[in-house]
Amino acid sequence: MSNVIPSSVPADAFAFVEGALDRADHLRDAPDALAALWPKAQVVLLDDDGRALADDTQHLFPVTGDTLGGMPANAVFLGVRDGQGWFAARAATVDIQAPQRIDLRAAAATWTAFDASVFAQARAVLHWHARHRHCGVCGGDVQFVRAGWLGRCTQCGSEHYPRTDQAIIAAVTDGQRLLLGRQAGWPPKRYSVLAGFVEPGESLEQTVAREVLEESGVRVHACRYLASQPWPFPGSLMLGFLAHAHPDPPVAGDELEDVRWFDVDQVRAGLARDWANPMLADDDPGIALSPPISIARWLVERWLAEYGGAA
Ligand SMILES: [Zn+2]
């Protein structure tokens, strides 16, 4: 029985949250059922750089189990939709030539929300396979079982589960302005909300306060969770917050080149620009913002909706 809860945000709010694939955990231990799904199943093939095989129009290369014959080594069962199975496999393990390959960021901007979400799932789990071929306990070889969702050490028997690295991402406001920073390697004048990884032993609220303080010197006094986004570059989960802070003067920490408060008009103008081609002259004080596939941009939009007043 499928039990897929829709995301708390619309599928077009940002990428990888469509969630319409029933992961059907009970089938992972049912090889006969998986074998029955295989002939008509869609197989997402990824190269070892995490790019998907694509057709002439840069969309998902249509490959079924029938086309491939038997199930390749370490194929991963992704789930079921409308009775059709979905699997992921390394392109290197099959004899298939595709016209093109496409990376996940490009696919997220052009594919359907569903296809991009399936690609994200496939990329994350195959990346985990690639980085966990040996046991972290004894160094023995890991064998993947449960249709790709469990690694078991062939030497000591330890079990290894897919990794997801939690990170917070926060729209920080002093009630009137929005705190945005930029990293040195970003396109000119690109600013974004602050983000950082959760450390062991930390609550999400503590991470928000610590990261914002480390990166900007600004003190957060409250925060509220809004929404999350899988971010498989290579294996993160972004947890989006709206945070309230004291109006401290920002001072860039080690990770940022610049961090500042921006007012409503500056943020609104930034959102109105073409993010990919913002056309800002060197002496233009305006800013560009993150691509629409990211929860980062959505958080900025949410902040503006709450604090921007009537446009
Ligand atoms: Zn081991």
Side-chain angles (χ1 to χ4, degrees), residues 23-243:
R23 295 184 180 218
D25 178 86
H26 62 285
L27 296 182
R28 293 174 182 172
D29 288 317
D32 291 347
L34 294 181
L37 284 171
W38 177 253
K40 290 192 164 31
Q42 174 75 40
V43 186
V44 181
L45 295 171
L46 305 189
D47 70 17
D48 288 351
D49 293 323
R51 296 176 300 173
L53 301 198
D55 64 15
D56 286 325
T57 64
Q58 285 273 45
H59 284 85
L60 183 61
F61 192 58
V63 177
T64 61
D66 258 344
T67 318
L68 296 176
M71 208 179 286
N74 285 335
V76 176
F77 172 60
L78 299 175
V80 177
R81 184 172 76 157
D82 300 333
Q84 185 185 29
W86 284 73
F87 290 79
R90 287 176 61 212
T93 62
V94 301
D95 187 20
I96 288 276
Q97 303 300 323
Q100 307 191 64
R101 289 156 192 229
I102 183 169
D103 72 40
L104 182 55
R105 284 174 203 271
T110 54
W111 288 13
T112 66
F114 171 78
D115 283 359
S117 294
V118 172
F119 183 177
Q121 181 187 355
R123 190 183 196 278
V125 70
L126 288 181
H127 182 268
W128 172 68
H129 277 208
R131 296 301 169 92
H132 291 82
R133 291 179 296 169
H134 300 286
C135 175
V137 179
C138 76
D141 289 340
V142 166
Q143 180 183 27
F144 294 101
V145 297
R146 296 208 77 227
W149 292 93
L150 174 65
R152 188 172 286 135
C153 177
T154 55
Q155 207 159 280
C156 75
S158 292
E159 295 189 337
H160 303 278
Y161 293 89
R163 285 279 316 257
T164 300
D165 297 321
Q166 297 83 8
I168 64 87
I169 183 163
V172 180
T173 184
D174 65 355
Q176 293 189 313
R177 301 171 297 175
L178 179 65
L179 187 68
L180 299 173
R182 63 169 276 110
Q183 293 178 14
W186 287 358
K189 297 179 185 286
R190 164 87 60 86
Y191 280 79
S192 190
V193 293
L194 306 191
F197 285 105
V198 179
E199 293 190 347
E202 205 172 38
S203 72
L204 296 176
E205 292 82 358
Q206 288 167 346
T207 309
V208 171
R210 177 183 55 77
E211 280 289 340
V212 173
L213 188 69
E214 283 176 6
E215 294 184 15
S216 70
V218 170
R219 295 165 299 154
V220 167
H221 57 75
C223 64
R224 166 160 61 94
Y225 171 77
L226 294 178
S228 64
Q229 181 182 36
W231 195 246
F233 301 103
S236 297
L237 173 66
M238 306 305 288
L239 299 143
F241 283 81
L242 178 65

Side-chain angles (χ1 to χ4, degrees), residues 258-290:
D258 187 28
V259 57
R260 295 187 223 167
W261 293 109
F262 291 90
D263 67 25
V264 164
D265 291 340
Q266 290 171 300
V267 171
R268 183 176 287 126
L271 284 172
R273 270 183 204 103
D274 175 3
W275 67 269
N277 190 17
M279 304 286 281
L280 285 158
D282 286 350
D283 57 352
D284 190 321
I287 56 168
L289 293 161
S290 306

